[in-house]
Amino acid sequence: MRVLGPLEVWRDDRRESLGGVKQRSLLAHLALHVNTGVSLDQLVEALWPVSRPRSVVQNVRTYVWQLRHLLDERLRTHGTGYVLELTAPELDISLFDSLVADARQRPDAALELLRQAESLWRGRPLEDLPDHDAWTPAIARLDEARLGATEQRLALQVSAGECATAIPELRALLDSHPYRESVCGQLVLALQQDNRRAEALQVYADMRARLADELGLEPGPALREAQLAVLRDESGPAPVRQLPPSVSDFCGRATETGLLVAALRRGSVSAPVAGVTGPPGVGKSTLAIRVAHQVSDHFPDGQLHVDLGGTAEHPREVSEVLTELLHALGVTGAALPSQTTARAALYRSRLAGRRVLVVLDDAASVSQVVPLLPADAGCAVLVTSRRRLSELPGALQVELQPFAPEEAAELLAGIAGADRVSAQPDEAAAIAAACGHLPLAIRVAGARLAGRGGWSMQVLRERLVDESTRLRELSSGELAVRASFDLSVRQLSEPEFQAFVRLALLGPHDFPGWVVETLLDSPGTEHLVDGLVDAHLLESCGADGIGQPRYRLHDLLRCHALDLASSSDGLERTLRAWLWLAVTAARRLPVTFGTTIASADPVRAPEHLLAEPVAWFEAERRTLCGAVDIAAAAGLDEVAWQLAAACVPFFDLHSHYEDWARTHARALQCVRAAGNRAGEAALLRGLSQVHIYRDEFAEAEQGMLAAQELYRSVGDERGEGTAVAGIGVVYRLRAEYERSLEFYVEALRLLESADDLHSVAHVRASIGGVHGSLGNLDEAREWLTNARQLAADLGDAHREALVLVRLSALYRSTGEHAEELASARRAVTILMDLTDERCTAFAQVELAEALISNGHPQEAHDLVQQALDTYRRTGNREGEPAALRTLARAADSANQLLLPYFQPR
């Protein structure tokens, strides 16, 4: 399809008929917006801007229908409008843009590519169709693109010595665009190179007079530079080429490269600016140099490169940098102004009218960069910095992250050897992971392997396992990860430095910003995390489920910070803040039988976050588990076991059995080493409860017995009572009801003596349940009714719901099916409101039994399936068999209801 001239569509070397003017105009409008959806309203407005027939919508649809016979699937419906889908070779506009873009990428073939692009033009775009105001912006863009391509082609001809051929075209172009200084400048240079100096100076004089007389302007710097070149008998200013070489093993970063290339090549009213920021060692400078080389053809007047020393102890002064840049641009001696502002102005003047790329590497701040920005739209700036440059006006910001695993493997293979990496891919992946997928660290690791051919991948992987020595291993020659990190760290203020090293004490987990205040014991210091984030020494992880921002340290930065930490001051204070929050949140959850929630001392911590305690636990779950590990590793046995225990109500509510077991096992090692018998008893009791949920009765009984002895040895009647009750649970689940009853009665005595009424209500309900299993229905009713009343008096809705479940089973055995259904429904409602997954599933099974009793087997089937899904997802082996039995009864009951419909009549 051809638009750059009369509108034409060709098929098999045959020009197709496109119908009347309106139909052709519709096609033209779609072509000018190729591969973009155009609404029906836009088409109507473009084709009938003033008045339109009543049948306008039908007319458009008719035109589209007729064009589809010609264009096949290329013309498609798009929402309420249409889209014309064409590839670059199928539309001359797109092919022209593609050839011009290729010319920028391939300097060696640029001249021929530009000639091909210009040959696509056959006249004014759509010259056989009436003008439409809606087309004006698109056609103006095409005209400007054509003029730019012609200028670029003529400039290449002049630089290639084809002046005699270029001069007539330049004269004609200047006649058509009499105020275009860039064309005039090229003509002046072409005439000078063709030894026609007098003509060159006359062309300049004519342009100067025209600008002065008609516009009241003086020629710009580029045109004046061309005149001076003639006067000095020079061919023009030699381009400055200061880019360092690009690394040969560059890999990855395809998306970031594409964004930067597009940003630097885009036209605008001012010089495009792009920034590359990220943590130390992430490859900012490497990417910037790579991109600069890729776009260098777009900046034929040169590429400037300067190191701003942003990570040095004293970043470079702007005045000093301007001196270096002006020297590169030919300004020396007395011509160099003494004032910084004057140097900046001269720098901008020297770049005016020229197409130069300026690469500013390792910027310390925006204030260091702004005076170095050119004003001319033909130039562009690429900045790298370890700090965020969010205040840089109008800049594209590309923030680099560590490599993806596949990119890390590719870089490691490029340095250490592809055969070596492919032979041991798992070891290579482990090395990359130990490097945190940080390009610098991977480069160092690859260099170590490359220099040690006798090493297997496993040798280096094992050396990188130990975090305390990892940074020492990541050093090879002049490459050292630790040295790169030091450059960033020494830019921090003292409070930021203290926050950085103390945050590393919190381990590899993410954390909320408020912890800085407790680590430093200084209110109002949470803002320090913003400085660390801006310095890319701390990573922002977004907001958690309760809306608080969360952060984490990259693993290698954390190792470095730990090396710098002189003490663990603030760690215990922060762990106790987490403990206080966890204890406070746990007390707002349903009471979990057998759990010991310590009384934590109030500390500075954001209690307002606990408005939704379940949501807070969800947000902090991983961090709390990590805090138990940190407390245990630091020998803080009291904090470790109390924190693990405080999480139990939440773990129990949402069936996080793995977290429950792991935190208790880790804390148990610590309390045993410290001889903390009370903590050991509480943790053994908690671990035993997990064994019960997993149907591991032997382990549960052993743990409960050990907990009982420990509680007895420290004189904790309440704890001993919960352990004895746990043994009763084990015997009840084994169906040894008489033996179970003995333990429950003993547990009740201990708990009543300890005045733990919540636990008393629980054990009374358990005793009632055992009586029900033994067939002692009157005793069961008495115990359960008493337990429900006590729970209600205590305001313990969770306990009341569990008693209602047992009462429902009792009512079923006595034939009181209405009461059975009412009790079960009430229990499910309460437990669902409390978001207790495990107990809700338990109550759902009981409700399903009640529904079967009341003649609703299908509803029962659906409900028990939900419970079964919960049991399987959470690994609750205790509940699954009962759910399966109820599911089978629901199916049998449903079949019995259907049977009469299939009996012969």
Side-chain angles (χ1 to χ4, degrees):
M1 184 171 175
R2 303 169 74 181
V3 174
L4 302 176
L7 179 63
E8 296 177 355
V9 173
W10 290 76
R11 186 199 295 268
D12 299 329
D13 297 326
R14 185 182 76 253
R15 181 176 172 178
E16 299 285 353
S17 173
L18 299 177
V21 171
K22 288 296 186 187
Q23 184 167 305
R24 287 159 54 222
S25 295
L26 183 145
L27 178 59
H29 191 86
L30 292 172
L32 289 174
H33 300 83
V34 66
N35 298 324
T36 301
V38 179
S39 71
L40 183 62
D41 289 342
Q42 288 175 303
L43 287 170
V44 170
E45 183 66 30
L47 271 60
W48 292 277
V50 180
S51 61
R52 57 199 63 162
R54 292 184 179 180
S55 59
V56 64
V57 173
Q58 186 58 44
N59 289 357
V60 169
R61 290 173 176 164
T62 300
Y63 298 152
V64 169
W65 176 78
Q66 290 172 338
L67 288 170
R68 276 180 172 158
H69 288 291
L70 175 65
L71 299 169
D72 301 322
E73 295 299 319
R74 295 177 180 85
L75 179 52
R76 297 192 306 102
T77 300
H78 183 273
T80 60
Y82 305 95
V83 60
L84 180 63
E85 294 184 341
L86 298 174
T87 62
E90 293 176 322
L91 179 65
D92 57 0
I93 296 175
S94 302
L95 182 56
F96 171 80
D97 289 339
S98 177
L99 288 168
V100 172
D102 286 348
R104 296 191 186 106
Q105 296 278 2
R106 300 171 54 194
D108 56 326
L111 190 55
E112 178 56 33
L113 290 168
L114 290 169
R115 284 174 171 148
Q116 291 177 32
E118 288 182 279
S119 70
L120 297 172
W121 286 75
R122 299 167 291 111
R124 187 174 61 85
L126 303 172
E127 63 182 28
D128 60 331
L129 290 172
D131 291 334
H132 289 274
D133 290 343
W135 298 351
T136 300
I139 291 178
R141 184 198 73 80
L142 291 172
D143 289 338
E144 182 63 28
R146 180 186 189 183
L147 180 57
T150 301
E151 279 193 66
Q152 188 178 355
R153 189 254 304 163
L154 288 169
L156 289 172
Q157 285 185 255
V158 171
S159 64
E162 300 178 15
C163 297
T165 305
I167 287 170
E169 280 196 74
L170 285 166
R171 285 192 185 278
L173 203 58
L174 187 58
D175 288 341
S176 302
H177 304 275
Y179 305 111
R180 199 165 180 100
E181 293 186 43
S182 55
V183 175
C184 182
Q186 283 297 332
L187 178 56
V188 168
L189 291 175
L191 289 166
Q192 191 267 346
Q193 289 186 32
D194 202 36
N195 296 314
R196 297 156 68 176
R197 297 178 63 215
E199 289 181 63
L201 293 173
Q202 187 60 52
V203 167
Y204 173 81
D206 292 344
M207 172 61 88
R208 183 182 182 188
R210 186 161 56 249
L211 291 172
D213 295 344
E214 299 178 23
L215 302 178
L217 299 174
E218 283 293 318
L223 183 53
R224 293 199 302 272
E225 192 71 38
Q227 182 217 19
L228 290 172
V230 176
L231 293 173
R232 293 191 299 261
D233 197 21
E234 297 173 356
S235 60
V240 182
R241 311 290 188 194
Q242 291 188 332
L243 293 181
S246 180
V247 297
S248 59
D249 53 16
F250 184 91
C251 67
R253 306 301 193 201
T255 300
E256 294 88 347
T257 299
L259 289 171
L260 291 167
V261 168
L264 294 172
R265 283 181 168 163
R266 75 174 188 265
S268 64
V269 296
S270 60
V273 180
V276 182
T277 63
V282 82
K284 299 178 293 295
S285 297
T286 301
L287 174 62
I289 297 304
R290 180 77 170 192
V291 168
H293 278 285
Q294 287 194 17
V295 301
S296 61
D297 61 292
H298 192 66
F299 301 96
D301 296 324
Q303 301 90 43
L304 296 167
H305 178 274
V306 62
D307 184 354
L308 299 182
T311 51
E313 186 173 355
H314 300 291
R316 297 182 66 186
E317 295 291 337
V318 171
S319 179
E320 176 193 351
V321 175
L322 283 168
T323 299
E324 180 180 330
L325 290 169
L326 286 169
H327 282 171
L329 294 171
V331 180
T332 59
L336 188 70
S338 58
Q339 297 296 319
T340 301
T341 53
R343 289 180 185 179
L346 180 58
Y347 164 71
R348 290 192 294 272
S349 297
R350 281 282 170 166
L351 293 179
R354 302 173 69 177
R355 298 174 64 181
V356 174
L357 174 66
V358 182
V359 180
L360 304 174
D361 196 18
D362 192 20
S365 63
V366 171
S367 61
Q368 189 187 31
V369 170
V370 169
L372 308 177
L373 299 180
D376 199 273
C379 298
V381 181
L382 183 55
V383 188
T384 73
S385 177
R386 295 191 182 189
R387 301 194 71 86
R388 280 196 170 95
L389 303 174
S390 52
E391 304 94 342
L392 202 56
L396 167 74
Q397 299 284 347
V398 173
E399 187 167 322
L400 291 191
Q401 301 295 332
F403 271 155
E406 58 273 13
E407 293 175 315
E410 182 183 351
L411 179 59
L412 188 63
I415 301 170
D419 293 343
R420 204 168 176 184
V421 169
S422 61
Q424 293 181 292
D426 292 342
E427 297 291 343
I431 290 172
C435 293
H437 298 125
L438 200 65
L440 174 60
I442 295 165
R443 190 170 291 281
V444 174
R448 295 205 72 186
L449 288 169
R452 295 162 178 79
W455 275 18
S456 68
M457 302 284 283
Q458 184 178 358
V459 171
L460 181 58
R461 192 259 300 161
E462 290 175 348
R463 290 188 173 214
L464 294 177
V465 167
D466 187 350
E467 287 190 350
S468 65
T469 60
R470 187 176 296 173
L471 289 177
R472 185 182 66 201
E473 296 294 334
L474 290 175
S475 175
S476 179
E478 295 185 1
L479 289 176
V481 176
R482 190 194 305 273
S484 177
F485 289 172
D486 276 333
L487 293 175
S488 286
V489 171
R490 69 187 183 196
Q491 305 300 311
L492 300 176
S493 66
E494 180 59 25
E496 287 175 332
F497 174 78
Q498 291 299 328
F500 174 64
V501 297
R502 295 188 190 186
L503 285 170
L505 301 172
L506 302 181
H509 308 284
D510 61 70
F511 47 81
W514 63 262
V515 298
V516 171
E517 295 188 1
T518 60
L519 282 168
L520 300 180
D521 196 23
S522 178
T525 52
E526 186 173 341
H527 70 279
L528 294 175
V529 299
D530 295 328
L532 296 176
V533 170
D534 287 342
H536 285 100
L537 293 174
L538 191 63
E539 178 184 351
S540 175
C541 304
D544 57 28
I546 58 175
Q548 61 176 347
R550 301 193 74 83
Y551 307 90
R552 71 177 296 274
L553 280 167
H554 186 279
D555 286 345
L556 292 181
L557 280 168
R558 183 170 49 80
C559 292
H560 185 55
L562 288 172
D563 288 346
L564 299 174
S566 57
S567 72
S568 60
D569 185 39
L571 177 61
E572 182 175 356
R573 186 168 52 246
T574 303
L575 292 172
R576 288 194 179 278
W578 257 314
L579 174 60
W580 182 80
L581 287 169
V583 165
T584 305
R587 293 190 184 280
R588 299 177 184 178
L589 296 180
V591 178
T592 299
F593 179 76
T595 302
T596 301
I597 305 297
S599 297
D601 295 330
V603 294
R604 182 188 299 115
E607 186 179 0
H608 67 275
L609 298 175
L610 305 181
E612 296 290 339
V614 172
W616 181 82
F617 268 117
E618 285 285 7
E620 296 288 357
R621 175 184 156 203
R622 296 298 181 196
T623 306
L624 290 170
C625 291
V628 173
D629 291 337
I630 294 167
L636 301 172
D637 54 293
E638 281 290 307
V639 175
W641 84 258
Q642 290 177 12
L643 193 54
C647 293
V648 167
F650 169 69
F651 291 157
D652 197 16
L653 201 64
H654 284 267
S655 306
H656 293 306
Y657 301 137
E658 287 300 320
D659 290 342
W660 185 342
R662 194 184 67 77
T663 53
H664 276 53
R666 182 67 184 93
L668 185 61
Q669 297 174 355
C670 179
V671 296
R672 280 175 170 166
N676 187 332
R677 297 173 69 80
E680 184 179 359
L683 293 169
L684 283 173
R685 172 66 178 81
L687 280 170
S688 298
Q689 189 65 46
V690 178
H691 285 308
I692 288 174
Y693 290 155
R694 290 174 172 171
D695 210 11
E696 298 163 350
F697 298 140
E699 294 87 344
E701 182 180 8
Q702 182 180 357
M704 291 292 186
L705 287 168
Q708 178 191 3
E709 289 302 317
L710 286 165
Y711 277 129
R712 183 181 295 161
S713 71
V714 296
D716 185 346
E717 275 192 317
R718 184 257 177 196
E720 185 182 356
T722 63
V724 173
I727 301 170
V729 173
V730 172
Y731 280 99
R732 176 176 60 79
L733 294 174
R734 287 171 172 164
E736 298 181 40
Y737 299 119
E738 296 288 356
R739 187 79 171 116
S740 172
L741 196 57
E742 294 175 12
F743 284 103
Y744 277 139
V745 170
E746 174 61 15
L748 183 61
R749 182 189 67 78
L750 291 165
L751 293 168
E752 287 178 337
S753 176
D755 199 28
D756 181 357
L757 297 181
H758 288 278
S759 296
V760 166
H762 175 88
V763 174
R764 285 179 180 176
S766 298
I767 291 173
V770 172
H771 276 299
S773 298
L774 289 170
N776 305 327
L777 302 185
D778 291 339
E779 291 87 341
R781 186 186 297 268
E782 180 181 353
W783 281 99
L784 290 173
T785 302
N786 182 281
R788 182 190 178 184
Q789 186 61 54
L790 178 56
D793 292 344
L794 293 169
D796 189 347
H798 187 269
R799 186 71 51 219
E800 183 181 2
L802 296 182
V803 178
L804 283 168
V805 172
R806 296 186 184 277
L807 279 169
S808 178
L810 176 66
Y811 292 140
R812 181 169 57 257
S813 64
T814 59
E816 300 169 77
H817 297 306
E819 291 80 359
E820 173 194 5
L821 185 59
S823 295
R825 283 196 188 280
R826 175 64 180 151
V828 170
T829 300
I830 292 173
L831 293 167
M832 288 184 70
D833 287 344
L834 294 172
T835 69
D836 185 335
E837 285 187 310
R838 180 183 63 83
C839 290
T840 296
F842 172 56
Q844 284 175 325
V845 173
E846 184 54 46
L847 177 54
E849 290 282 4
L851 288 166
I852 295 170
S853 300
N854 284 271
H856 305 291
Q858 186 56 55
E859 188 180 346
H861 182 280
D862 296 342
L863 193 65
V864 78
Q865 187 63 59
Q866 293 179 35
L868 193 58
D869 291 342
T870 300
Y871 286 146
R872 287 172 173 169
R873 177 170 51 80
T874 60
N876 189 332
R877 299 176 186 174
E878 174 193 358
E880 189 173 347
L884 288 171
R885 289 192 295 270
T886 303
L887 193 66
R889 278 194 289 274
D892 289 344
S893 182
N895 290 335
Q896 290 297 320
L897 287 175
L898 291 173
L899 192 58
Y901 294 97
F902 296 96
Q903 297 296 327
R905 298 185 178 182

